[in-house]
Amino acid sequence: MIRKLCCFLLLAFVFLPFSGSAGDSAPPYALVIHGGAGTILRDRMDLQTEQSYRAELHAALAIGQEILSGGGSSLDAVEQVIRYLEDSPRFNAGRGSVFTEDGHNEMDASIMDGRDRDAGAVAGVTNVRHPITAARRVMSDSPHVMMAREGAEAFAAEQGLEIVDPEWFKTERRWKSYLKAKANRETDPDRKHGTVGCVALDVNGNLAAGTSTGGMTLKKWGRIGDSPVIGAGTWADNATCGISATGHGEFFIRNAVAHDIAALMEYKGLSVQEAADLVIQQKLVAQGATGGVIALDRNGNVAMSFNTAGMYRGYALADAEPVVQVFKDE
Ligand code: ASP
């Protein structure tokens, strides 16, 4: 009898530490980012380009990790990571944004605080260097949630944010793809959605999410996509999850994608991965809509779901090596 009891205690001692799922105890912090989804194929990308994308994603993760590991807020991490990606000409946000049909850059961004669903967004701005910071100021320093065009620009200037010549956003690469798209009358020649986004969970258990974009190539003057629309391109609620989306914005608005994922978790008890997959791999695919999301639940479980050939993406969890991925088969 005593021998049996000893055996049982020994087995319990060996196996118990492995019996919990990763989500049982919240990690101190978590961070997930994307740089857009689309036709991103290994055989169409040279090694140098691939490496520079990966390096940019690693650098963005490192910025967020430094803030979160030092006890900073998820909102600060989201804003700073996105500011970095907005300045990178590689991604379709801030500098390097795609062009409208009439050859201009018009940018959209939004941010949301999971503590109380406070949110801010700007749409169609043309001269604000960091649209994500303007979105955050709309949240923190105005009574509104969304401001557009000249009104948003005037507000950003009043707030002392950096205003630049619209030429700042123009890059040779995007201009060439604009001319190509115009010549071929294609709305999105590369079918790449280069929007950037970030979702973070801080050491206090608060989620935040943000998204910033130049929109879609050859979009009409004044067109606004899903990225600044709370519940479509961005969502954060400590009760469920944080989400940032990238893809064909019209479909993401019509399907309230980000909120739909949170609602599936709240009302049907789905995990963040199940909810994201249901919306991205089933609902959107059935409508012929392309794109993806990054998501984090309140326990720091990461989901990165996309229905395109690739998505620039990465995540960082406390005490683990950051992970960066580009292609589907990674
Ligand atoms: N969702 C963005 C928009 O429709 C585009 C993208 O993600 O690339 O404006």
Side-chain angles (χ1 to χ4, degrees):
M1 178 65 192
I2 289 195
R3 189 183 285 177
K4 267 191 189 157
L5 190 66
C6 285
C7 273
F8 174 76
L9 284 176
L10 186 70
L11 281 174
F13 180 74
V14 170
F15 288 110
L16 265 181
F18 299 99
S19 62
S21 77
D24 284 351
S25 62
Y29 69 80
L31 178 72
V32 58
I33 60 173
H34 72 77
T39 317
I40 305 167
L41 295 162
R42 227 186 220 105
D43 55 9
R44 286 216 221 143
M45 193 183 290
D46 62 70
L47 194 61
Q48 208 186 340
T49 308
E50 180 190 331
Q51 280 170 347
S52 58
Y53 271 109
R54 288 184 192 273
E56 298 264 21
L57 292 169
H58 272 294
L61 285 174
I63 289 168
Q65 269 190 297
E66 195 176 328
I67 293 168
L68 295 171
S69 63
S73 73
S74 49
L75 277 175
D76 285 346
V78 165
E79 182 186 355
Q80 294 307 321
V81 165
I82 293 183
R83 282 173 68 97
Y84 174 81
L85 294 169
E86 284 175 340
D87 271 352
S88 163
R90 291 236 162 257
F91 301 101
N92 171 23
R95 189 147 184 261
S97 284
V98 298
F99 288 88
T100 58
E101 196 177 34
D102 60 357
H104 294 103
N105 298 120
E106 291 182 10
M107 290 151 288
D108 304 331
S110 66
I111 193 162
M112 190 165 184
D113 185 342
R115 285 176 301 187
D116 53 4
R117 296 194 187 178
D118 205 359
V122 291
V125 293
T126 61
N127 64 5
V128 181
R129 177 166 172 183
H130 290 294
I132 192 67
T133 298
R136 186 164 177 187
R137 291 297 178 89
V138 171
M139 173 172 78
S140 62
D141 287 86
S142 89
H144 307 304
V145 169
M146 190 191 285
M147 296 182 74
R149 302 191 57 82
E150 292 88 345
E153 291 168 356
F155 172 75
E158 270 166 34
Q159 288 287 313
L161 304 190
E162 192 175 352
I163 303 298
V164 291
D165 188 306
E167 282 291 300
W168 160 259
F169 301 103
K170 182 174 178 178
T171 60
E172 218 29 60
R173 182 166 78 104
R174 294 289 190 208
W175 185 247
K176 275 190 192 146
S177 75
Y178 162 70
L179 294 176
K180 189 172 139 199
K182 238 190 151 173
N184 299 335
R185 298 182 146 276
E186 288 173 21
T187 44
D188 199 352
D190 303 328
R191 278 185 285 141
K192 273 192 196 119
H193 307 295
T195 295
V196 304
C198 178
V199 184
L201 173 72
D202 63 30
V203 293
N204 295 313
N206 293 319
L207 286 164
T211 310
S212 183
T213 189
M216 292 179 75
T217 306
L218 292 195
K219 67 182 181 181
K220 293 263 185 236
W221 179 89
R223 176 264 190 189
I224 293 168
D226 61 309
S227 307
V229 178
I230 296 301
T234 301
W235 185 257
D237 184 349
N238 283 357
T240 49
C241 62
I243 308 267
S244 171
T246 174
H248 194 150
E250 280 68 12
F251 288 94
F252 280 67
I253 295 174
R254 287 163 50 200
N255 288 280
V257 163
H259 182 262
D260 200 21
I261 293 170
L264 284 164
M265 294 175 69
E266 187 172 350
Y267 301 135
K268 293 198 101 182
L270 265 53
S271 72
V272 66
Q273 185 74 56
E274 290 165 344
D277 285 344
L278 197 154
V279 175
I280 301 298
Q281 314 294 348
Q282 294 182 37
K283 285 192 175 184
L284 291 188
V285 168
Q287 296 169 37
T290 55
V293 291
I294 51 164
L296 268 183
D297 71 11
R298 61 184 168 191
N299 295 316
N301 291 307
V302 176
M304 304 186 291
S305 189
F306 53 99
N307 60 28
T308 50
M311 179 164 82
Y312 300 110
R313 61 202 187 277
Y315 62 90
L317 305 173
D319 303 325
E321 282 296 305
V323 174
V324 161
Q325 295 169 335
V326 174
F327 307 110
K328 194 165 201 150
D329 57 1
E330 290 184 67

